[in-house]
Amino acid sequence: MPMIRKLRRAMRGAYRRTVDLSHPARSPLGSTVVNCVVYEGGVRQPCDGDAREALRQVRKNGSGFVWIGLHQPTEIQLAVFAELFGLHPLAVEDAVQAHQRPKVQRYGRDGQGGTLFAILKTCRYVAHEQLTTESEVVDTGELMVFAGADFVITVRHGPHGSLGPLREALEASPEQLAKGPAAVLHAIADQVVDDYLAVADAVQHDVDAVESAVFSEDARSADAGQIYLLKRELLELKRAVAPLERPMRSLATAPLPPVGPDMQPYFRDVVDHLARVNEQISGYDTLLDSILQAHLAQVTVAQNEDMRKITAWAAIIAVPTMVCGMYGMNFDHMPELRWTYGYPLVLGVMATACVVIHRAFRRNGWL
C-alpha cells in the first residue's frame, strides 16, 4: 500500500509538471497536453486546463464531455490520465508505443458503457520537384482516440495530423458537437480519411509522370527505381487504409457505445470514402505493375536492337578485316601483289563489299 500511494503521488506530480509547462500551441498547456476543453450542448465552457476539475465538472452536471489532446506522451504522463479516466492498460500501452496497426476496440463495461479505443494512421503527401529513387512520397503518423460516455482523449504521434483546425471546425457547428464523443470520433476519422483521398490524388500525378516517361519517345529516360519507389510508398499508404475499413464498417452497422444509431450514417459515409481510397490504391498498384512490365519489355527490345546493330557493324567490319588479314601474310606469290593498281583495287573491293552489306542490313531493319 505505501508503494501504491507513493506511485500515485509521483503520477500527480508528473501531471502538474505536464500541465504547467508552456507550449506554443492553440492552448497554453504543457508540452504533452495540447488542449483540455469542456463542452456542454456543443458549446465550449470555461476551463482552466485541469483534467481532474474538468471531469468533475462534467460528471457533476451530468451532461457534456471533456476533450483532452495529447502529443507523444510518455508512459508516466499517460498513466495519469489512465488512472483518472479508467483506461485499459493494453490500450494505454498501444497509445504510448507508436507503429501500431489501425484498429477499433472496446474495453470494459461499466456504468459509463466502457471505452472505445481507435488507432488511425495519419498520412501526408511529401511534395517534391522531381521523383527520384531517394524521394519520400508518403509520410505517416499515428492518432489514437479514447472515447467514453463523457470524455475524448486524443494521442497524436508524428509532426503532422494536428487536430486544432478540426476542433475549431467542430466548435463552429455546435449542433454536431452536441452529439458527444461519438461526433468527435467521427470528425477525426473523417478528416484522416479525407487526408487519404488527398494523398491518393497527389500520388496519381507521380504515377502519371512515370507512365508518360515509360511510353515517351525517349523511353530510356524512365527509371525502374522510380516505379519501385512508388510501389513501396503505395504499400505504406495501403497499410494505413486497408486495415481501417473493417472496424469503421463495424461502427457503421452495429451500435458500439459511445457510438449510437444516430451516428452510424456518418460512419457509413467514412466507410464509402475508405472504399474509394482502397480502390484507388489497388488501381495504382495494378497500373504500376503494368508500367513496370512494359518498361522491362522496352528495355529488352532496346537491348535486342543494340545487339543487332553491333552484330551488323561487326559483319561489315569483318570484310575489310578478312581481306587485310590475307594480304598481311608474308607470302611471295599472292594475287596482284606486284601490280600497280592492285592496292586501289583491293580498297575498292572492300569499300564495295561494305556498302552492299550495309544496304542489306538497312533494308532488313538492323541499322
Side-chain angles (χ1 to χ4, degrees), residues 158-232:
H160 58 85
S162 174
L163 297 178
L166 174 65
R167 186 191 294 268
E168 294 174 358
L170 281 173
E171 291 177 355
S173 180
E175 66 280 358
Q176 182 71 10
L177 196 55
K179 296 178 181 179
V184 177
L185 177 59
H186 161 261
I188 293 173
D190 189 53
Q191 174 177 287
V192 169
V193 175
D194 285 345
D195 290 341
Y196 293 161
L197 288 169
V199 172
D201 291 339
V203 170
Q204 183 176 3
H205 295 291
D206 291 322
V207 175
D208 292 342
V210 169
E211 184 180 17
S212 299
V214 169
F215 293 101
S216 64
E217 294 182 359
D218 186 15
R220 297 194 180 190
S221 62
D223 185 3
Q226 296 177 355
I227 304 176
Y228 279 113
L229 170 70
L230 280 179
K231 286 184 67 66
R232 186 178 68 244

Side-chain angles (χ1 to χ4, degrees), residues 26-44:
R26 299 177 184 271
S27 181
L29 298 177
S31 58
T32 296
V33 182
V34 178
N35 222 325
C36 177
V37 182
V38 173
Y39 295 97
E40 290 188 9
V43 179
R44 183 169 182 159

